[in-house]
Amino acid sequence: MESPEESKLHYFLQWLQVNGVQLRGCTIKYCDSNKGLGVFSADSVSDGVLLVVPLNLAITAMSVRQDPLYGSECGAMCEGGEVDERFLILLFLTVERLRRNSSWKPYLDMFPTTFTNSLWFSDEELLELKGTPIYRATEVQKKSLQSLFHEKVKNLAEKLLIADGDLEREVTFDDFLWANSVFWTRAQNIPFPQSYASPEAQEKQDSRSRENEPSSNDVLKPEECGSDNYARQQEETVWVEGLVPGIDFCNHDVKPLAQWLVDGTGLVTGVPFSMYLLSAAGQNTLERGTEISISYGNKGNEELLFLYGFVMNDNPDDYLMINYPGEAVQDVSFSEQKTQLLEEQKAVLRCLLPRGLLNHGFFPPCTPQGENNDKNSSSQVCSYSWSGQRKSPSYLNTLVFPEDFLTALRTIAMKENELYQVVSLLEELAGPEGERQPSDTDVRAALWEACGDSGALQLLVDRLNMRLMDLEEGTGTEDSDTELLEKAQCTEVPEDCKRTENNDCHFLSRNRWSSIVYRRGQKQLTRLFLKEAEQALELALSEGN
């Protein structure tokens, strides 16, 4: 006898088939308690096409506006600028989950009732993230969603339910939070063919089709849309956010076994205007039962945890975000003049530091074969000098910090005499009548001429030290996090399991385990980039920069 979960899955697979989805070389089944459902290889396919989904099954703002229940209300709100297209999808998911006779029920029943991203953390679990960017971002995002729910979603959703014949259903914030998490964990940016996205373009496409036979170039490949080969398709493509039932059950891996593509003509799949799952090169014959993963993109643990609710140990795409608060500029000396210079140079007050930058720094953990440390030489220190006195530093090729961010820090850190020198250089360049307006490049060159690197690097060292102190204040050091993870025996806590004082090992909930992995990575990256900044500062001071 089927369990309730097996029965729901069986019903969902039937629903996919009825709606034109073709599971050619795969099936969808339960993976594990952490991943939930996944896509797994089944029958062998010679062309590598594992799964085909008609685009008319995708949940997009366009499909919501075309729905009889939502069309009039949502169309008017969009045209009036009251809401954006993403709002329509969130509203649709919120209401459809509550509709008693929703045609989407078999699909929506496959989603978990709660999620593991930080918006669902308890207050106690959220404390595990204190000192990290996610801690503050979660608080801000939750307040924003609550405001949106009470101001626009609740009354409209209940009005739609009443129009559907449900007079008693109350819509709660948890319903909306669920819809928000479904969207962010599953939505894709889909390259819809222009001919499919609008009736006018469809008519144009039909006319063109009568004149020309389709070619292989009619298949849109998202990862190649920027190349010359796909310039024509890029011009005729509308990128639309949406959910694609079936393909959205693929889990993430840094070494994916498949990728999704859009077939605008049916030349590849036999199904015009469809999204399909294509086995990776050399993987046309997958062992039966192998999980078929795709890549969600090069995402660090911060993004994975905040949006998707999972992290990866030793994530190669992890990164550190460093910023200098714009409001803090008002507290430095000569803030008015420095603010003006920041505006003139189009200053960047934050920077993303991917882990991979460390491979080209002073202390590379590893240097990928075939690469060298010349990667940053063309984009680092501005070499233009009015006087010729400021020489390029010896550490140019091993400085891992972006020049745009260092230039902003030079502006904030410069002393009174340096400020006057910058102003003088720019006035000289502008001419006696101000006939030339200095460009942002001119401003950056003047800052390098007057200030060098030492002030900016000292400010960077201070910011990184502050970040490390914030990270360690509530949760201890990187080593203490490692110790917690090494002692943990599992990532799920059985209901009847209680930790005892005499027990050397302990259990960690999935949310707590993810938090520790993420924050440990942030501490590690902060420490490593701090070491890079301190070394650069030492060299800058010794060279008079």
Side-chain angles (χ1 to χ4, degrees):
M1 183 176 178
E2 284 186 335
S3 68
E5 293 302 315
E6 289 172 333
S7 179
K8 285 197 298 185
L9 178 56
H10 181 69
Y11 190 24
F12 170 57
L13 293 175
Q14 287 183 326
W15 180 86
L16 288 176
Q17 185 178 9
V18 167
N19 283 282
V21 176
Q22 300 175 14
L23 283 78
R24 298 182 180 179
C26 67
T27 189
I28 298 171
K29 63 181 183 179
Y30 185 75
C31 187
D32 59 41
S33 57
N34 285 337
K35 292 182 179 180
L37 293 174
V39 179
F40 292 82
S41 61
D43 300 327
S44 177
V45 286
S46 59
D47 60 359
V49 176
L50 303 166
L51 172 64
V52 182
V53 183
L55 285 178
N56 62 14
L57 191 61
I59 300 174
T60 66
M62 179 174 64
S63 68
V64 174
R65 292 182 66 171
Q66 292 171 348
D67 187 283
L69 177 63
Y70 301 87
S72 58
E73 289 283 349
C74 294
M77 293 179 72
C78 272
E79 290 167 7
E82 297 178 49
V83 297
D84 58 17
E85 293 191 339
R86 188 176 292 163
F87 173 89
L88 301 189
I89 301 176
L90 296 181
L91 176 68
F92 179 86
L93 292 171
T94 302
V95 173
E96 289 301 311
R97 186 193 187 199
L98 299 174
R99 287 180 71 184
R100 289 174 179 163
N101 299 313
S102 171
S103 62
W104 294 91
K105 180 176 173 56
Y107 172 55
L108 300 181
D109 278 353
M110 291 295 97
F111 300 151
T113 56
T114 61
F115 289 81
T116 53
N117 61 62
S118 56
L119 289 170
W120 292 82
F121 280 21
S122 66
D123 291 341
E124 184 179 351
E125 288 171 333
L126 200 56
L127 288 176
E128 299 285 355
L129 297 170
K130 198 163 186 180
T132 69
I134 288 186
Y135 181 79
R136 175 63 178 157
T138 300
E139 291 183 324
V140 171
Q141 179 70 354
K142 200 160 191 176
K143 288 180 181 178
S144 175
L145 289 173
Q146 287 171 335
S147 296
L148 180 60
F149 172 73
H150 290 294
E151 292 172 9
K152 293 183 178 178
V153 174
K154 181 175 172 61
N155 290 339
L156 179 56
E158 290 178 350
K159 179 180 178 181
L160 291 168
L161 286 169
I162 290 172
D164 190 51
D166 192 335
L167 305 179
E168 301 177 357
R169 186 64 58 93
E170 180 184 3
V171 182
T172 68
F173 175 67
D174 280 350
D175 295 323
F176 181 58
L177 185 61
W178 176 89
N180 181 77
S181 294
V182 167
F183 175 85
W184 283 109
T185 55
R186 295 181 178 274
Q188 297 161 318
N189 202 17
I190 311 165
F192 272 71
Q194 180 73 38
S195 57
Y196 183 81
S198 67
E200 297 82 2
Q202 176 69 64
E203 186 176 333
K204 180 180 176 182
Q205 172 68 15
D206 291 343
S207 175
R208 185 191 299 119
S209 297
R210 287 191 291 269
E211 298 173 4
N212 302 294
E213 289 296 320
S215 69
S216 58
N217 283 340
D218 288 319
V219 181
L220 299 176
K221 298 184 179 182
E223 76 280 5
E224 296 181 11
C225 273
S227 69
D228 292 340
N229 290 338
Y230 290 89
R232 181 173 64 84
Q233 285 87 343
Q234 180 74 348
E235 293 173 358
E236 299 178 355
T237 296
V238 178
W239 290 87
V240 178
E241 287 183 320
L243 282 68
V244 184
I247 287 180
D248 62 348
F249 286 97
C250 288
N251 291 310
H252 169 72
D253 200 302
V254 293
K255 295 180 179 179
L257 294 182
Q259 61 178 324
W260 61 260
L261 303 166
V262 169
D263 185 356
T265 63
L267 186 66
V268 174
T269 64
V271 183
F273 305 120
S274 63
M275 178 181 285
Y276 64 101
L277 195 63
L278 182 67
S279 180
Q283 298 289 343
N284 285 352
T285 305
L286 293 169
E287 183 179 348
R288 191 179 184 88
T290 302
E291 184 177 5
I292 300 169
S293 57
I294 60 174
S295 172
Y296 293 179
N298 301 330
K299 300 184 186 299
N301 280 342
E302 189 164 294
E303 191 172 359
L304 291 177
L305 181 56
F306 188 66
L307 295 181
Y308 299 96
F310 70 90
V311 296
M312 300 176 63
N313 240 329
D314 301 318
N315 186 344
D317 296 313
D318 227 351
Y319 58 79
L320 183 71
M321 176 70 80
I322 293 294
N323 75 307
Y324 192 93
E327 60 273 15
V329 178
Q330 306 307 315
D331 298 328
V332 302
S333 58
F334 305 99
S335 61
E336 186 175 339
Q337 295 92 326
K338 291 180 178 180
T339 298
Q340 182 178 347
L341 286 170
L342 288 169
E343 292 174 354
E344 289 176 358
Q345 68 188 263
K346 300 179 179 65
V348 177
L349 292 178
R350 63 171 58 194
C351 72
L352 195 68
L353 300 174
R355 178 185 292 274
L357 286 176
L358 294 167
N359 292 332
H360 305 277
F362 297 107
F363 311 101
C366 63
T367 301
Q369 190 173 4
E371 293 190 20
N372 55 47
N373 285 342
D374 293 334
K375 181 177 180 180
N376 299 323
S377 60
S378 63
S379 61
Q380 287 295 320
V381 174
C382 179
S383 60
Y384 180 77
S385 172
W386 275 273
S387 67
Q389 298 300 309
R390 181 74 67 186
K391 304 297 183 183
S392 293
S394 64
Y395 50 82
L396 177 61
N397 292 346
T398 43
L399 194 61
V400 299
F401 303 101
E403 173 62 17
D404 286 352
F405 187 59
L406 287 178
T407 301
L409 294 183
R410 289 187 192 111
T411 308
I412 297 167
M414 65 181 165
K415 301 172 184 175
E416 182 177 3
N417 65 308
E418 294 170 340
L419 175 60
Y420 290 145
Q421 185 180 354
V422 169
V423 172
S424 176
L425 288 169
L426 294 176
E427 287 177 347
E428 176 187 337
L429 187 65
E433 302 298 328
E435 56 267 19
R436 177 185 167 186
Q437 180 67 33
S439 66
D440 56 330
T441 302
D442 294 328
V443 175
R444 296 179 186 201
L447 286 162
W448 163 245
E449 169 77 9
C451 306
D453 277 336
S454 56
L457 289 170
Q458 181 62 66
L459 198 54
L460 180 58
V461 167
D462 293 343
R463 296 298 302 175
L464 288 166
N465 268 317
M466 288 175 61
R467 169 63 66 84
L468 194 58
M469 289 174 61
D470 288 342
L471 286 167
E472 293 180 348
E473 182 179 7
T475 58
T477 65
E478 178 187 338
D479 289 339
S480 64
D481 286 340
T482 299
E483 186 178 355
L484 283 173
L485 294 171
E486 287 175 347
K487 287 183 177 180
Q489 297 300 301
C490 72
T491 60
E492 294 293 336
V493 183
E495 291 183 4
D496 58 348
C497 174
K498 294 183 179 180
R499 180 182 175 184
T500 63
E501 293 182 3
N502 296 326
N503 202 348
D504 290 334
C505 63
H506 61 279
F507 292 96
L508 290 178
S509 68
R510 179 180 177 182
N511 289 350
R512 191 172 176 217
W513 180 86
S514 297
S515 299
I516 297 171
V517 170
Y518 159 63
R519 79 187 186 210
R520 181 182 66 167
Q522 289 291 290
K523 292 170 186 176
Q524 181 189 66
L525 287 176
T526 305
R527 174 178 57 80
L528 292 173
F529 280 111
L530 174 59
K531 187 178 179 182
E532 292 284 333
E534 289 174 336
Q535 179 65 21
L537 174 60
E538 182 180 335
L539 292 172
L541 291 171
S542 67
E543 296 177 14
N545 280 323

